């Protein structure tokens, strides 16, 4: 498994953007408070959100963060409708985000995708060569006839997995659909198929208190 930047670093980057988002309307970084509605994709929850909220609470105790999981494809609508104030979103090489001039977007990080199987876990970019030098076809091809584990139909995660397999030369035979990427390696480990997961989903469980 390839190394990755510390997840605390991810939280720092998110915190910086959150502070900017909530301080701009108030006109200052001091004394900000009130509800802060934060959207996040599922794998961003355990890997990024707890550390970010813990630090945010120390710096701005008057804030009342409220987190809700939401698919990245629905975030723009949520922001425009006033249901969210800020959100973590993700996209993939095979499922790039549609340009949206009505919301501000700031890149925070890039991460590789991992292939989870019952036999081994490899690394792959979701749009080309594997990090260790294999082509996408060489990495995914051996699992062309295996059952696959993807996110639910209609999500960006589902589209990413299907398009990655198609780029590798086959149509995946989907058996399981789960939106929590942490479930994918657990199912793969007991022989239930193969799946692609983002690096943030590989973060070890942490005790925050």
């Amino acid at each position: 498994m390839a190394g990755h930047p510390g997840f605390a670093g991810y939280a720092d980057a998110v915190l910086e953007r959150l502070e900017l988002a909530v301080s701009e309307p108030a006109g200052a970084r001091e004394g900000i408070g009130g509800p802060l509605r934060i959207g996040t994709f599922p794998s961003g929850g355990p890997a990024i959100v707890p550390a970010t909220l813990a630090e945010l609470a120390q710096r701005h105790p008057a804030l009342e963060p409220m987190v809700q999981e939401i698919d990245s494809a629905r975030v723009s609508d949520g922001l425009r409708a006033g249901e969210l104030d800020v959100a973590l979103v993700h996209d993939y090489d095979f499922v790039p985000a549609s340009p949206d001039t009505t919301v501000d977007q700031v890149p925070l990080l890039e991460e590789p995708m991992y292939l989870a199987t019952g036999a081994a876990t490899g690394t792959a970019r979701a749009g080309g060569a594997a990090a260790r030098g294999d082509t996408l076809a060489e990495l995914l091809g051996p699992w062309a006839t295996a059952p696959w584990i993807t996110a639910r139909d209609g999500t960006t995660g589902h589209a990413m997995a299907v398009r990655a397999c198609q780029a590798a030369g086959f149509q995946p035979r989907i058996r399981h659909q789960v939106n929590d990427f942490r479930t994918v390696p657990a199912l793969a480990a007991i022989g239930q198929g193969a799946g692609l997961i983002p690096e943030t989903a590989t973060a070890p469980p942490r005790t925050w208190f």
Side-chain angles (χ1 to χ4, degrees), residues 8-30:
Y10 293 172
D12 288 342
V14 174
L15 179 62
E16 180 181 348
R17 298 309 306 174
L18 282 176
E19 287 189 317
L20 183 59
V22 297
S23 65
E24 283 179 339
R29 298 180 71 87
E30 300 295 332

PDB file of all heavy atoms in Angstrom, residues 8-30:
ATOM      1  N   ALA A   8      -4.239  14.302   9.562  1.00  0.00           N
ATOM      2  CA  ALA A   8      -4.325  15.566  10.299  1.00  0.00           C
ATOM      3  C   ALA A   8      -4.075  16.737   9.353  1.00  0.00           C
ATOM      4  O   ALA A   8      -4.655  17.811   9.508  1.00  0.00           O
ATOM      5  CB  ALA A   8      -3.316  15.583  11.438  1.00  0.00           C
ATOM      6  N   GLY A   9      -3.208  16.531   8.372  1.00  0.00           N
ATOM      7  CA  GLY A   9      -2.958  17.573   7.376  1.00  0.00           C
ATOM      8  C   GLY A   9      -4.193  17.869   6.563  1.00  0.00           C
ATOM      9  O   GLY A   9      -4.458  19.021   6.207  1.00  0.00           O
ATOM     10  N   TYR A  10      -4.952  16.830   6.227  1.00  0.00           N
ATOM     11  CA  TYR A  10      -6.208  17.039   5.525  1.00  0.00           C
ATOM     12  C   TYR A  10      -7.140  17.901   6.376  1.00  0.00           C
ATOM     13  O   TYR A  10      -7.781  18.826   5.899  1.00  0.00           O
ATOM     14  CB  TYR A  10      -6.896  15.699   5.252  1.00  0.00           C
ATOM     15  CG  TYR A  10      -6.193  14.787   4.283  1.00  0.00           C
ATOM     16  CD1 TYR A  10      -6.640  13.482   4.100  1.00  0.00           C
ATOM     17  CD2 TYR A  10      -5.082  15.202   3.555  1.00  0.00           C
ATOM     18  CE1 TYR A  10      -6.022  12.628   3.212  1.00  0.00           C
ATOM     19  CE2 TYR A  10      -4.455  14.361   2.670  1.00  0.00           C
ATOM     20  CZ  TYR A  10      -4.919  13.062   2.505  1.00  0.00           C
ATOM     21  OH  TYR A  10      -4.293  12.227   1.627  1.00  0.00           O
ATOM     22  N   ALA A  11      -7.226  17.560   7.668  1.00  0.00           N
ATOM     23  CA  ALA A  11      -8.117  18.298   8.560  1.00  0.00           C
ATOM     24  C   ALA A  11      -7.705  19.757   8.660  1.00  0.00           C
ATOM     25  O   ALA A  11      -8.553  20.652   8.712  1.00  0.00           O
ATOM     26  CB  ALA A  11      -8.124  17.651   9.947  1.00  0.00           C
ATOM     27  N   ASP A  12      -6.403  20.027   8.696  1.00  0.00           N
ATOM     28  CA  ASP A  12      -5.933  21.412   8.765  1.00  0.00           C
ATOM     29  C   ASP A  12      -6.398  22.204   7.545  1.00  0.00           C
ATOM     30  O   ASP A  12      -6.827  23.355   7.663  1.00  0.00           O
ATOM     31  CB  ASP A  12      -4.401  21.450   8.842  1.00  0.00           C
ATOM     32  CG  ASP A  12      -3.879  20.991  10.193  1.00  0.00           C
ATOM     33  OD1 ASP A  12      -4.679  20.972  11.152  1.00  0.00           O
ATOM     34  OD2 ASP A  12      -2.691  20.637  10.278  1.00  0.00           O
ATOM     35  N   ALA A  13      -6.296  21.585   6.366  1.00  0.00           N
ATOM     36  CA  ALA A  13      -6.713  22.270   5.146  1.00  0.00           C
ATOM     37  C   ALA A  13      -8.211  22.544   5.163  1.00  0.00           C
ATOM     38  O   ALA A  13      -8.669  23.630   4.770  1.00  0.00           O
ATOM     39  CB  ALA A  13      -6.338  21.430   3.919  1.00  0.00           C
ATOM     40  N   VAL A  14      -8.986  21.567   5.627  1.00  0.00           N
ATOM     41  CA  VAL A  14     -10.437  21.749   5.705  1.00  0.00           C
ATOM     42  C   VAL A  14     -10.780  22.837   6.715  1.00  0.00           C
ATOM     43  O   VAL A  14     -11.645  23.692   6.472  1.00  0.00           O
ATOM     44  CB  VAL A  14     -11.131  20.432   6.078  1.00  0.00           C
ATOM     45  CG1 VAL A  14     -12.628  20.654   6.297  1.00  0.00           C
ATOM     46  CG2 VAL A  14     -10.911  19.388   4.998  1.00  0.00           C
ATOM     47  N   LEU A  15     -10.094  22.803   7.857  1.00  0.00           N
ATOM     48  CA  LEU A  15     -10.363  23.792   8.899  1.00  0.00           C
ATOM     49  C   LEU A  15     -10.117  25.204   8.396  1.00  0.00           C
ATOM     50  O   LEU A  15     -10.896  26.126   8.668  1.00  0.00           O
ATOM     51  CB  LEU A  15      -9.482  23.507  10.117  1.00  0.00           C
ATOM     52  CG  LEU A  15      -9.627  24.476  11.298  1.00  0.00           C
ATOM     53  CD1 LEU A  15     -11.041  24.444  11.846  1.00  0.00           C
ATOM     54  CD2 LEU A  15      -8.622  24.130  12.388  1.00  0.00           C
ATOM     55  N   GLU A  16      -9.048  25.388   7.658  1.00  0.00           N
ATOM     56  CA  GLU A  16      -8.744  26.711   7.114  1.00  0.00           C
ATOM     57  C   GLU A  16      -9.872  27.228   6.245  1.00  0.00           C
ATOM     58  O   GLU A  16     -10.282  28.386   6.332  1.00  0.00           O
ATOM     59  CB  GLU A  16      -7.444  26.653   6.311  1.00  0.00           C
ATOM     60  CG  GLU A  16      -7.045  27.982   5.698  1.00  0.00           C
ATOM     61  CD  GLU A  16      -5.761  27.891   4.898  1.00  0.00           C
ATOM     62  OE1 GLU A  16      -5.070  26.861   4.997  1.00  0.00           O
ATOM     63  OE2 GLU A  16      -5.452  28.847   4.154  1.00  0.00           O
ATOM     64  N   ARG A  17     -10.429  26.335   5.392  1.00  0.00           N
ATOM     65  CA  ARG A  17     -11.519  26.752   4.516  1.00  0.00           C
ATOM     66  C   ARG A  17     -12.805  26.990   5.313  1.00  0.00           C
ATOM     67  O   ARG A  17     -13.580  27.898   5.013  1.00  0.00           O
ATOM     68  CB  ARG A  17     -11.763  25.702   3.428  1.00  0.00           C
ATOM     69  CG  ARG A  17     -10.585  25.475   2.506  1.00  0.00           C
ATOM     70  CD  ARG A  17     -10.039  26.776   1.943  1.00  0.00           C
ATOM     71  NE  ARG A  17     -11.068  27.588   1.285  1.00  0.00           N
ATOM     72  CZ  ARG A  17     -10.857  28.809   0.820  1.00  0.00           C
ATOM     73  NH1 ARG A  17      -9.682  29.383   0.959  1.00  0.00           N
ATOM     74  NH2 ARG A  17     -11.831  29.474   0.218  1.00  0.00           N
ATOM     75  N   LEU A  18     -13.047  26.172   6.335  1.00  0.00           N
ATOM     76  CA  LEU A  18     -14.236  26.361   7.151  1.00  0.00           C
ATOM     77  C   LEU A  18     -14.184  27.700   7.865  1.00  0.00           C
ATOM     78  O   LEU A  18     -15.174  28.438   7.918  1.00  0.00           O
ATOM     79  CB  LEU A  18     -14.363  25.229   8.179  1.00  0.00           C
ATOM     80  CG  LEU A  18     -14.893  23.892   7.679  1.00  0.00           C
ATOM     81  CD1 LEU A  18     -14.857  22.869   8.805  1.00  0.00           C
ATOM     82  CD2 LEU A  18     -16.317  24.028   7.146  1.00  0.00           C
ATOM     83  N   GLU A  19     -13.026  28.023   8.438  1.00  0.00           N
ATOM     84  CA  GLU A  19     -12.892  29.292   9.142  1.00  0.00           C
ATOM     85  C   GLU A  19     -13.126  30.468   8.199  1.00  0.00           C
ATOM     86  O   GLU A  19     -13.774  31.453   8.567  1.00  0.00           O
ATOM     87  CB  GLU A  19     -11.506  29.395   9.778  1.00  0.00           C
ATOM     88  CG  GLU A  19     -11.327  28.511  10.991  1.00  0.00           C
ATOM     89  CD  GLU A  19     -10.029  28.799  11.709  1.00  0.00           C
ATOM     90  OE1 GLU A  19      -8.998  28.964  11.028  1.00  0.00           O
ATOM     91  OE2 GLU A  19     -10.054  28.863  12.953  1.00  0.00           O
ATOM     92  N   LEU A  20     -12.602  30.362   7.002  1.00  0.00           N
ATOM     93  CA  LEU A  20     -12.798  31.432   6.031  1.00  0.00           C
ATOM     94  C   LEU A  20     -14.267  31.564   5.666  1.00  0.00           C
ATOM     95  O   LEU A  20     -14.815  32.665   5.572  1.00  0.00           O
ATOM     96  CB  LEU A  20     -11.962  31.161   4.778  1.00  0.00           C
ATOM     97  CG  LEU A  20     -12.011  32.240   3.681  1.00  0.00           C
ATOM     98  CD1 LEU A  20     -11.521  33.566   4.234  1.00  0.00           C
ATOM     99  CD2 LEU A  20     -11.181  31.805   2.490  1.00  0.00           C
ATOM    100  N   ALA A  21     -14.933  30.411   5.486  1.00  0.00           N
ATOM    101  CA  ALA A  21     -16.343  30.429   5.084  1.00  0.00           C
ATOM    102  C   ALA A  21     -17.228  31.080   6.136  1.00  0.00           C
ATOM    103  O   ALA A  21     -18.154  31.826   5.817  1.00  0.00           O
ATOM    104  CB  ALA A  21     -16.823  29.006   4.800  1.00  0.00           C
ATOM    105  N   VAL A  22     -16.951  30.784   7.410  1.00  0.00           N
ATOM    106  CA  VAL A  22     -17.826  31.316   8.453  1.00  0.00           C
ATOM    107  C   VAL A  22     -17.420  32.710   8.896  1.00  0.00           C
ATOM    108  O   VAL A  22     -18.227  33.453   9.462  1.00  0.00           O
ATOM    109  CB  VAL A  22     -17.867  30.383   9.691  1.00  0.00           C
ATOM    110  CG1 VAL A  22     -18.440  29.048   9.306  1.00  0.00           C
ATOM    111  CG2 VAL A  22     -16.492  30.239  10.329  1.00  0.00           C
ATOM    112  N   SER A  23     -16.172  33.121   8.637  1.00  0.00           N
ATOM    113  CA  SER A  23     -15.726  34.435   9.090  1.00  0.00           C
ATOM    114  C   SER A  23     -16.041  35.529   8.092  1.00  0.00           C
ATOM    115  O   SER A  23     -16.247  36.680   8.462  1.00  0.00           O
ATOM    116  CB  SER A  23     -14.217  34.430   9.375  1.00  0.00           C
ATOM    117  OG  SER A  23     -13.471  34.215   8.196  1.00  0.00           O
ATOM    118  N   GLU A  24     -16.097  35.200   6.799  1.00  0.00           N
ATOM    119  CA  GLU A  24     -16.332  36.222   5.786  1.00  0.00           C
ATOM    120  C   GLU A  24     -17.660  36.954   5.994  1.00  0.00           C
ATOM    121  O   GLU A  24     -17.710  38.178   5.954  1.00  0.00           O
ATOM    122  CB  GLU A  24     -16.253  35.608   4.390  1.00  0.00           C
ATOM    123  CG  GLU A  24     -14.819  35.358   3.945  1.00  0.00           C
ATOM    124  CD  GLU A  24     -14.741  34.735   2.568  1.00  0.00           C
ATOM    125  OE1 GLU A  24     -15.757  34.137   2.149  1.00  0.00           O
ATOM    126  OE2 GLU A  24     -13.696  34.829   1.920  1.00  0.00           O
ATOM    127  N   PRO A  25     -18.787  36.222   6.229  1.00  0.00           N
ATOM    128  CA  PRO A  25     -20.042  36.961   6.443  1.00  0.00           C
ATOM    129  C   PRO A  25     -19.993  37.839   7.686  1.00  0.00           C
ATOM    130  O   PRO A  25     -20.628  38.888   7.742  1.00  0.00           O
ATOM    131  CB  PRO A  25     -21.081  35.837   6.602  1.00  0.00           C
ATOM    132  CG  PRO A  25     -20.467  34.664   5.915  1.00  0.00           C
ATOM    133  CD  PRO A  25     -18.988  34.775   6.185  1.00  0.00           C
ATOM    134  N   ALA A  26     -19.255  37.396   8.709  1.00  0.00           N
ATOM    135  CA  ALA A  26     -19.200  38.168   9.950  1.00  0.00           C
ATOM    136  C   ALA A  26     -18.243  39.338   9.851  1.00  0.00           C
ATOM    137  O   ALA A  26     -18.287  40.257  10.668  1.00  0.00           O
ATOM    138  CB  ALA A  26     -18.771  37.257  11.099  1.00  0.00           C
ATOM    139  N   GLY A  27     -17.338  39.296   8.853  1.00  0.00           N
ATOM    140  CA  GLY A  27     -16.409  40.386   8.653  1.00  0.00           C
ATOM    141  C   GLY A  27     -15.189  40.314   9.540  1.00  0.00           C
ATOM    142  O   GLY A  27     -14.359  41.210   9.526  1.00  0.00           O
ATOM    143  N   ALA A  28     -15.067  39.254  10.348  1.00  0.00           N
ATOM    144  CA  ALA A  28     -13.907  39.105  11.222  1.00  0.00           C
ATOM    145  C   ALA A  28     -13.768  37.653  11.625  1.00  0.00           C
ATOM    146  O   ALA A  28     -14.714  36.883  11.562  1.00  0.00           O
ATOM    147  CB  ALA A  28     -14.062  39.975  12.458  1.00  0.00           C
ATOM    148  N   ARG A  29     -12.573  37.266  12.072  1.00  0.00           N
ATOM    149  CA  ARG A  29     -12.330  35.890  12.480  1.00  0.00           C
ATOM    150  C   ARG A  29     -12.628  35.680  13.958  1.00  0.00           C
ATOM    151  O   ARG A  29     -12.526  34.566  14.459  1.00  0.00           O
ATOM    152  CB  ARG A  29     -10.886  35.494  12.171  1.00  0.00           C
ATOM    153  CG  ARG A  29     -10.545  35.552  10.697  1.00  0.00           C
ATOM    154  CD  ARG A  29      -9.114  35.155  10.452  1.00  0.00           C
ATOM    155  NE  ARG A  29      -8.899  33.721  10.674  1.00  0.00           N
ATOM    156  CZ  ARG A  29      -9.083  32.795   9.745  1.00  0.00           C
ATOM    157  NH1 ARG A  29      -9.502  33.131   8.545  1.00  0.00           N
ATOM    158  NH2 ARG A  29      -8.852  31.521  10.013  1.00  0.00           N
ATOM    159  N   GLU A  30     -12.944  36.752  14.692  1.00  0.00           N
ATOM    160  CA  GLU A  30     -13.212  36.635  16.113  1.00  0.00           C
ATOM    161  C   GLU A  30     -14.723  36.699  16.360  1.00  0.00           C
ATOM    162  O   GLU A  30     -15.445  37.440  15.722  1.00  0.00           O
ATOM    163  CB  GLU A  30     -12.523  37.776  16.878  1.00  0.00           C
ATOM    164  CG  GLU A  30     -11.010  37.801  16.709  1.00  0.00           C
ATOM    165  CD  GLU A  30     -10.340  36.579  17.296  1.00  0.00           C
ATOM    166  OE1 GLU A  30     -10.907  36.008  18.256  1.00  0.00           O
ATOM    167  OE2 GLU A  30      -9.268  36.193  16.802  1.00  0.00           O
TER     168      GLU A  30
END
